[in-house]
Amino acid sequence: MQNNKEMNFSSVFHFPVQIYYEDTDFSGVVYHPNFLKYFERAREHVIGADILAALWQDEGLGFAVYRSDMLCHDGVEFADIIDVRTSFYFESKYRTVWKQEIWRPNASKPAVTAKIEMVCMNKARQLTPMSPALIERLSRSFSSPALT
């Protein structure tokens, strides 16, 4: 059963990724740890590298993966251009939960799905609330108030 927060996911963000030979194993299929890299890049794209850099430099805040659940349903192959679909919700002022899927071209279902929980931490690696500016920026992705 989903809680109310889970029902209020952000809009879906799309991030294309070209699969290169170096991403694959001997059989031409993506080596599974690379999916985590693609998910990370997509999350960074949603927030913005400039925002993340300023958050770290100006406020001493960053994000760490708290939990990651990933399922590989289908192989992704060399030369595919995949669509990493990302949405998220605020679990609290400390944590975001990201639903991410990797779709192959013309697929009827995702090849890979993941639920990634991120927490906000300071430079001393202590749990810290997200800045109001970051919450406001990410909240623009929702049709109704995201964090109350």
Side-chain angles (χ1 to χ4, degrees), residues 26-46:
F26 70 94
S27 69
V29 175
V30 170
Y31 182 53
H32 67 279
N34 288 329
F35 295 130
L36 294 172
K37 290 193 305 188
Y38 307 150
F39 290 142
E40 182 80 28
R41 290 177 195 162
R43 289 192 308 273
E44 183 175 319
H45 184 73
V46 169

Side-chain angles (χ1 to χ4, degrees), residues 14 16 20 28 47 52 64-65 78 82 101 103 127:
H14 296 268
Y20 294 100
I47 297 171
L52 289 167
V65 172
F78 168 63
I82 58 172
E101 299 176 336
W103 286 76
L127 194 61

Side-chain angles (χ1 to χ4, degrees), residues 27-95:
S27 69
V29 175
V30 170
Y31 182 53
H32 67 279
N34 288 329
F35 295 130
L36 294 172
K37 290 193 305 188
Y38 307 150
F39 290 142
E40 182 80 28
R41 290 177 195 162
R43 289 192 308 273
E44 183 175 319
H45 184 73
V46 169
I47 297 171
D50 55 336
I51 302 292
L52 289 167
L55 191 65
W56 184 251
Q57 293 167 0
D58 301 341
E59 299 180 46
L61 297 177
F63 290 94
V65 172
Y66 172 73
R67 181 178 179 153
S68 176
D69 295 315
M70 183 175 76
L71 295 169
C72 298
H73 308 282
D74 195 12
V76 175
E77 299 176 356
F78 168 63
D80 280 346
I81 298 176
I82 58 172
D83 180 21
V84 181
R85 299 177 187 180
T86 301
S87 60
F88 68 95
Y89 66 90
F90 291 99
E91 178 65 29
S92 70
K93 62 185 177 180
Y94 302 93
R95 185 183 336 193

